[in-house]
Amino acid sequence: MAAIPVIVKHQGKRHEVELDPTSTGETFKYQLFSLTGVEPERQKILVKGGQLKDDTDLSTLGAKPGQTFMMMGTPSANGADGALERPKEKMKFLEDMTEAEAAKSEGAMPAGLQNLGNTCYLNSTLQTLRSVPELQQELLKYSPSAVGSGPSSSDFSQVGLGGFGSSLDLTASLRDLYTQMSETQEGFPPLMFLNALRTSFPQFAQKSKTGQGYAQQDAEEAWSQIVSQLRQKLKVKDTANSGSGAHESGKNDDISFVDRYLAGRFESTLTCDEPAAMEAGEEVLKSEDVFLKLDCHISKDINHLRDGLLAGLEEKIEKKSPSLDRDAVYTKKSRIARLPKYLTVHFVRFFWKREAQKKAKIMRKVMFPQEIDVVEFCTETLRERLIPVRDKVREIRKDEEDVTRARKRQKLAHKQEADREKDKEIELKAKGPDSETKIARDKAAEKKAEGDSEMTDAVYKTDAEYDAERTTSISAAKKELYNLINPELAKDEGANKSGLYELRGVVTHQGASADSGHYTSYVKKQGRIDPKTGKTIEEDGKWWWFNDDKVSEVDSEKIDTLSGGGETHSALILLYRAIDLPTAEEIKD
């Protein structure tokens, strides 16, 4: 098939090009690259129905001699006129990397933890806590107030004994453990941390009933003890310098890391259920309490996490009534006055079964979402601050979905139109030369009626136009969303400012009781950090499954199967993180 001479307009210039109908869009772009210096990946060539793709068969364009195409795009800084440069960083192949370098490379599988004898409860807890990047950053800055004498950490690092001098300091042991895990992809033995945990909390050193090895423990108890220890030891600078957080304001500028990022605050009322108490003048007691986790209580009526959380915010308490001068039943109602950036939820699945003398497990299936809205659990004051931001986030998401759907509809309509035109031409060509002449006459008549060339036929938006509109829309939406953030909440760095959380980690239990069975954890993969911009690249939605030293990748659909309903893996602890909102730096950029 002979080449077709066409005209390409670019930045006010006309370029005469031979278009080969037997080639593809990519070949055509390289022709234009030699004429304009614009790299193929930076070119946007407008054709009938949209934008020329690399894999487009040029014969399908139906190009005519002298037809004009429009091209947009500019050469990159190091374009065709720039000299080839040596890469600034030497390329390093995986086989040439050290174990630590390979562990930190893009796409590297994280390290698992060896089971040291019924320690799966601990391994699953440690892996889930490790998903909090702020915790890892602050642990690196941590220095024990008093470090004992002894061999240096480097002498023991290869066997999990790093930080030997601070082996009794649980926080220092956690710091060393996470550092060592970041330098390997193999299953690592958490020996020093386990020793520190059993020293600090002897309950975890309990022997099994058979007398062989240690007993299985409850992962929730391990979680609570580790977090309480971090709350005492790990301090961060109070940049806000205000008492709006969960911590109590003090004279120095240091506050607990846990209070900033993992602790919320309840405002509660305690009311006597007997009308006689109110008639006698007994007042409703008001109090404030810090919480480190929300409990999801499970009963025969609980089928969803929301229902269990609501049940946990109201409880009955029996105590002495000062007005009645006897014991009476009180109702305690709690509402959340401060939401932390990281929200821990505990499914209360274990209870003490007296006749069996063990912690039995409630098998009931309780559904939980991968994104949760907790605004309804908050005080009226906090709800007023959260709702504008939450509603704006939902509005933005709906707009993005509408644009995506419109784009899909346009592409489908264009494809259907192109298919109809093609079928019509094939049908007429099959009837002979007279029909082909008719096709030419019809097309000429259409041109005359419309009054111009092929370019006026393009009624669909190009991908470039959609991308430009989307970028502009997102930028404007981010500014509007940022301006809606309540000033008081904006000062509280570790608080949730929208009331919306996304699921980041799950600790699961398989079995019929807390003293037996097996624990594992699921942690959502984090998007890697772009070394040039420092921003997190979009995540792929996959999860890591940590089964002691075995680590594998699973789809997000797997998380939906962890709701319970039998002795299979069921969620025991959920770790939610506040959804990302625009920052001042993003708005400035």
Side-chain angles (χ1 to χ4, degrees):
M1 193 178 291
I4 303 170
V6 297
I7 304 297
V8 176
K9 286 185 177 180
H10 176 246
Q11 294 185 341
K13 295 181 181 180
R14 292 165 57 90
H15 300 278
E16 295 183 359
V17 186
E18 294 287 323
L19 185 149
D20 182 1
T22 62
S23 63
T24 62
E26 184 178 24
T27 303
F28 190 54
K29 288 183 178 181
Y30 273 103
Q31 286 179 263
L32 296 177
F33 175 42
S34 65
L35 293 171
T36 64
V38 179
E39 296 87 337
E41 64 271 14
R42 295 174 64 86
Q43 295 177 19
K44 290 180 174 57
I45 303 168
L46 303 183
V47 297
K48 182 179 179 180
Q51 182 178 318
L52 182 65
K53 305 290 186 182
D54 287 350
D55 58 355
T56 299
D57 184 347
L58 295 185
S59 65
T60 63
L61 297 181
K64 298 292 186 292
Q67 183 174 331
T68 300
F69 293 93
M70 186 71 70
M71 186 185 105
M72 296 184 293
T74 56
S76 65
N78 296 319
D81 297 330
L84 291 175
E85 296 181 359
R86 183 186 296 273
K88 294 181 180 179
E89 294 184 9
K90 185 179 178 182
M91 183 178 292
K92 201 164 191 178
F93 295 97
L94 192 61
E95 55 266 27
D96 298 326
M97 294 181 182
T98 63
E99 184 180 4
E101 289 173 334
K104 295 176 182 177
S105 63
E106 182 183 343
M109 185 171 288
L113 289 169
Q114 293 179 21
N115 192 318
L116 304 178
N118 281 335
T119 58
C120 57
Y121 72 92
L122 177 62
N123 293 345
S124 57
T125 297
L126 292 172
Q127 293 286 14
T128 308
L129 280 172
R130 190 172 178 238
S131 68
V132 179
E134 294 90 345
L135 176 59
Q136 295 198 57
Q137 292 165 11
E138 292 302 327
L139 281 172
L140 290 174
K141 305 173 188 176
Y142 175 74
S143 295
S145 55
V147 178
S149 60
S152 67
S153 62
S154 60
D155 296 333
F156 298 91
S157 61
Q158 298 304 312
V159 291
L161 299 176
F164 181 82
S166 55
S167 61
L168 299 183
D169 188 322
L170 199 69
T171 305
S173 296
L174 186 61
R175 174 201 62 200
D176 295 339
L177 175 62
Y178 283 167
T179 299
Q180 291 150 359
M181 289 174 67
S182 69
E183 296 174 349
T184 183
Q185 291 178 276
E186 303 296 325
F188 193 83
L191 295 171
M192 285 304 295
F193 184 83
L194 182 60
N195 178 61
L197 180 71
R198 287 172 174 166
T199 302
S200 302
F201 305 102
Q203 70 193 77
F204 297 107
Q206 179 186 355
K207 296 288 186 178
S208 68
K209 293 179 180 179
T210 62
Q212 298 178 353
Y214 291 93
Q216 177 70 285
Q217 300 289 339
D218 187 343
E220 188 277 327
E221 291 180 3
W223 178 288
S224 296
Q225 297 291 20
I226 293 170
V227 170
S228 67
Q229 192 74 188
L230 289 172
R231 191 180 184 209
Q232 295 176 32
K233 295 279 190 175
L234 191 60
K235 304 293 181 180
V236 294
K237 292 293 181 184
D238 185 5
T239 52
N241 194 27
S242 71
S244 62
H247 64 281
E248 296 180 5
S249 57
K251 293 183 179 179
N252 57 36
D253 293 329
D254 290 347
I255 64 168
S256 164
F257 170 87
V258 170
D259 281 346
R260 171 176 286 177
Y261 292 106
L262 292 164
R265 188 176 73 250
F266 281 136
E267 286 184 3
S268 306
T269 59
L270 189 64
T271 309
C272 185
D273 289 358
E274 298 187 32
M278 302 298 291
E279 294 167 3
E282 186 171 323
E283 295 183 354
V284 175
L285 295 177
K286 296 182 179 181
S287 62
E288 290 190 4
D289 304 288
V290 171
F291 68 86
L292 302 179
K293 59 182 173 65
L294 294 181
D295 287 330
C296 175
H297 291 272
I298 302 174
S299 67
K300 62 181 178 64
D301 300 318
I302 302 299
N303 298 306
H304 194 275
L305 175 62
R306 173 190 174 274
D307 303 326
L309 292 178
L310 278 175
L313 293 174
E314 185 172 323
E315 59 180 320
K316 297 292 184 180
I317 297 174
E318 187 174 341
K319 75 179 201 72
K320 186 172 182 178
S321 167
S323 58
L324 301 177
D325 196 28
R326 59 176 172 79
D327 287 347
V329 176
Y330 286 74
T331 298
K332 182 178 182 181
K333 294 183 179 180
S334 300
R335 285 294 178 265
I336 300 171
R338 189 222 185 222
L339 286 170
K341 181 174 182 178
Y342 291 91
L343 179 68
T344 304
V345 175
H346 169 223
F347 286 98
V348 187
R349 288 195 175 276
F350 298 129
F351 67 98
W352 182 252
K353 198 169 185 178
R354 186 176 300 175
E355 57 270 23
Q357 288 294 295
K358 67 176 183 180
K359 281 186 177 179
K361 181 179 179 181
I362 301 173
M363 304 290 188
R364 188 175 182 80
K365 183 176 183 178
V366 181
M367 304 293 290
F368 58 88
Q370 294 198 31
E371 182 174 290
I372 187 172
D373 176 2
V374 297
V375 170
E376 65 173 309
F377 308 135
C378 299
T379 62
E380 192 62 37
T381 300
L382 184 55
R383 288 170 63 184
E384 290 174 358
R385 295 175 175 180
L386 297 173
I387 286 175
V389 180
R390 181 201 65 182
D391 290 351
K392 187 62 182 178
V393 168
R394 289 176 171 172
E395 179 187 325
I396 292 171
R397 288 176 176 176
K398 184 180 182 301
D399 290 345
E400 288 182 346
E401 289 173 0
D402 290 344
V403 169
T404 301
R405 281 195 292 267
R407 193 170 185 173
K408 288 180 179 178
R409 283 197 298 267
Q410 172 185 289
K411 288 186 175 182
L412 178 60
H414 174 245
K415 183 178 182 302
Q416 290 172 341
E417 181 182 325
D419 289 343
R420 283 194 298 269
E421 286 288 329
K422 193 172 182 180
D423 291 343
K424 184 178 177 182
E425 289 188 15
I426 292 173
E427 183 181 346
L428 290 173
K429 282 181 180 179
K431 294 179 179 179
D434 291 341
S435 296
E436 291 190 33
T437 305
K438 184 177 182 299
I439 293 173
R441 282 201 306 268
D442 289 346
K443 286 191 174 180
E446 285 178 14
K447 268 191 182 181
K448 191 173 181 181
E450 293 175 6
D452 208 341
S453 66
E454 309 275 346
M455 294 299 294
T456 59
D457 295 334
V459 295
Y460 298 109
K461 289 183 181 178
T462 65
D463 287 346
E465 289 172 325
Y466 263 118
D467 290 341
E469 286 182 6
R470 184 173 183 271
T471 301
T472 303
S473 175
I474 288 175
S475 178
K478 280 186 174 182
K479 289 179 182 177
E480 190 174 350
L481 185 57
Y482 177 77
N483 291 331
L484 286 173
I485 297 175
N486 181 273
E488 289 301 315
L489 290 180
K491 294 177 187 176
D492 191 352
E493 181 184 339
N496 182 323
K497 302 166 180 63
S498 69
L500 298 174
Y501 284 96
E502 59 171 336
L503 189 64
R504 302 302 302 186
V506 185
V507 176
T508 67
H509 178 265
Q510 179 185 32
S513 73
D515 303 328
S516 62
H518 184 58
Y519 291 93
T520 68
S521 63
Y522 294 81
V523 172
K524 193 168 188 180
K525 290 176 64 178
Q526 296 182 5
R528 67 181 182 87
I529 304 296
D530 188 325
K532 293 181 180 179
T533 63
K535 295 181 179 179
T536 302
I537 296 175
E538 189 174 352
E539 299 174 343
D540 63 8
K542 304 279 189 178
W543 288 66
W544 293 119
W545 181 27
F546 295 98
N547 185 2
D548 288 332
D549 57 341
K550 301 180 186 69
V551 183
S552 55
E553 186 181 85
V554 298
D555 294 326
S556 62
E557 289 76 16
K558 176 64 178 177
I559 307 304
D560 298 328
T561 69
L562 306 176
S563 302
E567 292 190 20
T568 56
H569 285 287
S570 53
L572 180 69
I573 298 173
L574 305 177
L575 181 63
Y576 284 98
R577 185 183 73 188
I579 64 165
D580 291 330
L581 294 175
T583 62
E585 290 75 17
E586 285 182 79
I587 301 302
K588 191 182 295 182
D589 292 341

